[in-house]
Amino acid sequence: MRVLTIITALGTILFFTIVARAHPASGIVVDSKGNIYFSDLETVWRVDTAGKLTPFREGVRGRHVHELAIDDHDNVYGADISYVSDKWVSSVWKMTVDGNLTYLLEPTGEPPRGMSIWLDTGGNMYWIDQNNHTKTQTLLLRRTPNGEVTTLAGGAYGHADGRGADARFGSVGGTTFGPDGSIYLTDSDSLRKVAMDGSVTTLATKLSARSSQDSPTLFSSEHANLAGLTVATDGTVFVADSGNRRVLKVANGKVETVFRSEPPFFTTGAFATKGGDVYVLEVGLTLPNVTSGPRVRKLSPDGTISAVATIGEDRSQRSTQAVAVERAGIVAESAVQFVWEGRATKYALLAVAVFAGIFFIRRHKRKER
């Protein structure tokens, strides 16, 4: 019976590990007046300049909004993904600051190729066409306003700088436009830049490398450590490294950690304002499946971090039971992470521990007889 309990517990932990690795929201943008917009996966929220938090676009259960974009006229763009009647339904929408919504793509189960929230000033859309399971090719597509779709850059799965089809991408996570009009994206553990002529340049690599200060999460994987990113007016890039609960600053080839999230929170998105502030979106999850947040915090140019908004429970008013559950979940996460990202040595140690446990349980039963 005890052996069965152990096996059941391990199965439950692995199940929730898979759930935890689902793709959370990374969308956060700030308009020219200082209003902040962010997604909690279903609802898009707004924090006005007075700090008031209100729904900007009401959520619908099962309808997910992962990313957000904003243009020079303060229009906010998002894409919906829903699973309805055994079919994936998607749409692309635009909302004005007054809350007026129009669809660039009406909800459909068969979206045309290349539809996206990422638009340049000419109205061209840019979309990453990839499959992280087959890993055969990764393409950056450009769709013109009249519907013509071409490949701006990319080809077979891999990593290579170059122009057009000579460039190679791996698993692209986050995408954004820079002030120079180029597209910046996270690709596996690298930061890359794509000019409008299709030239691809790698700005930094090995961004997921951990230090002794990092606390990895169950959301990390070989292609999903790096999430949302933002580019400041001076070209400095800030990358949300979800797998290591931190925000990285990349400038002039130098990489440094400028923001850290404490468990159970991890970073998923960031947005840099013209004034030099960086707003960071965080989501919290504790095993088995307890959510905390999301929340938004501000990183000021002097390094000061301040709270902006939190969705859900006031963490300062939590019960003793809630705190205990969270701490237990964090311990469980650390244990599962040890196994999940382990090499052969770790699995060997785990196997030895399991068999040793079974041996001692059986020996104990014999003595009881």
Side-chain angles (χ1 to χ4, degrees):
M1 181 62 69
R2 293 183 182 180
V3 174
L4 179 61
T5 301
I6 293 172
I7 294 174
T8 302
L10 288 174
T12 303
I13 290 174
L14 289 177
F15 169 77
F16 282 115
T17 298
I18 294 172
V19 173
R21 290 164 63 84
H23 180 33
S26 61
I28 181 169
V29 295
V30 182
D31 67 23
S32 61
K33 296 180 176 59
N35 298 300
I36 306 162
Y37 307 83
F38 66 97
S39 173
D40 71 0
L41 201 58
E42 291 184 346
T43 300
V44 178
W45 297 85
R46 173 164 57 189
V47 183
D48 64 22
T49 54
K52 183 179 180 180
L53 175 68
T54 56
F56 180 61
R57 183 169 185 251
E58 293 284 356
V60 173
R61 185 172 181 79
R63 184 185 69 191
H64 292 174
V65 181
H66 293 285
E67 298 178 292
L68 296 175
I70 193 166
D71 64 20
D72 293 336
H73 302 289
D74 289 340
N75 295 308
V76 177
Y77 297 81
D80 297 337
I81 300 177
S82 306
Y83 190 67
V84 181
S85 301
D86 298 325
K87 180 182 291 186
W88 289 104
V89 175
S90 59
S91 65
V92 179
W93 49 265
K94 176 180 74 172
M95 285 187 70
T96 66
V97 292
D98 297 325
N100 296 319
L101 182 144
T102 56
Y103 282 106
L104 305 182
L105 171 66
E106 295 279 350
T108 176
E110 299 179 357
R113 195 167 185 237
M115 294 295 294
S116 168
I117 67 173
W118 304 108
L119 288 82
D120 62 21
T121 55
N124 299 298
M125 291 181 173
Y126 298 85
W127 171 254
I128 294 293
D129 185 354
Q130 67 180 349
N131 188 317
N132 284 322
H133 299 291
T134 62
K135 296 183 178 180
T136 55
Q137 67 175 14
T138 304
L139 308 176
L140 175 56
L141 304 179
R142 173 189 278 157
R143 181 185 177 91
T144 64
N146 63 10
E148 180 184 359
V149 179
T150 57
T151 299
L152 177 62
Y157 187 95
H159 185 110
D161 287 348
R163 182 175 178 180
D166 292 331
R168 296 287 184 269
F169 299 108
S171 299
V172 176
T175 306
T176 193
F177 274 103
D180 59 352
S182 298
I183 296 174
Y184 292 73
L185 48 84
T186 56
D187 179 5
S188 299
D189 67 347
S190 299
L191 171 64
R192 310 184 75 185
K193 173 182 176 180
V194 185
M196 288 297 98
D197 65 354
S199 298
V200 180
T201 306
T202 299
L203 304 180
T205 60
K206 299 181 180 179
L207 295 180
S208 297
R210 292 171 181 152
S211 70
S212 59
Q213 295 177 284
D214 294 316
S215 300
T217 76
L218 296 177
F219 288 83
S220 61
S221 71
E222 62 177 310
H223 61 261
N225 277 2
L226 307 181
L229 71 164
T230 182
V231 187
T233 54
D234 64 354
T236 299
V237 185
F238 296 88
V239 180
D241 179 4
S242 295
N244 292 310
R245 305 182 192 264
R246 64 189 181 184
V247 173
L248 302 173
K249 174 183 176 182
V250 183
N252 301 317
K254 180 181 178 182
V255 180
E256 61 177 311
T257 300
V258 293
F259 181 102
R260 292 187 186 276
S261 296
E262 75 285 354
F265 289 97
F266 60 95
T267 57
T268 61
F271 189 89
T273 68
K274 293 181 179 179
D277 295 321
V278 178
Y279 289 87
V280 180
L281 178 63
E282 301 170 281
V283 177
L285 179 68
T286 305
L287 290 177
N289 196 19
V290 181
T291 57
S292 305
R295 70 180 184 186
V296 176
R297 291 196 288 172
K298 182 177 73 172
L299 173 64
S300 300
D302 63 0
T304 303
I305 298 174
S306 54
V308 176
T310 300
I311 304 299
E313 182 182 18
D314 181 353
R315 294 181 60 78
S316 66
Q317 302 297 322
R318 292 178 301 158
S319 65
T320 302
Q321 180 180 4
V323 173
V325 168
E326 180 179 292
R327 289 177 178 173
I330 292 171
V331 172
E333 179 179 323
S334 298
V336 176
Q337 188 70 36
F338 175 85
V339 176
W340 188 270
E341 295 200 342
R343 295 292 185 263
T345 302
K346 287 187 178 181
Y347 290 116
L349 290 173
L350 177 64
V352 170
V354 171
F355 284 114
I358 295 173
F359 172 78
F360 284 114
I361 289 173
R362 288 179 174 176
R363 185 177 179 182
H364 179 68
K365 286 184 175 180
R366 292 194 195 102
K367 288 183 177 180
E368 289 179 342
R369 292 173 184 170

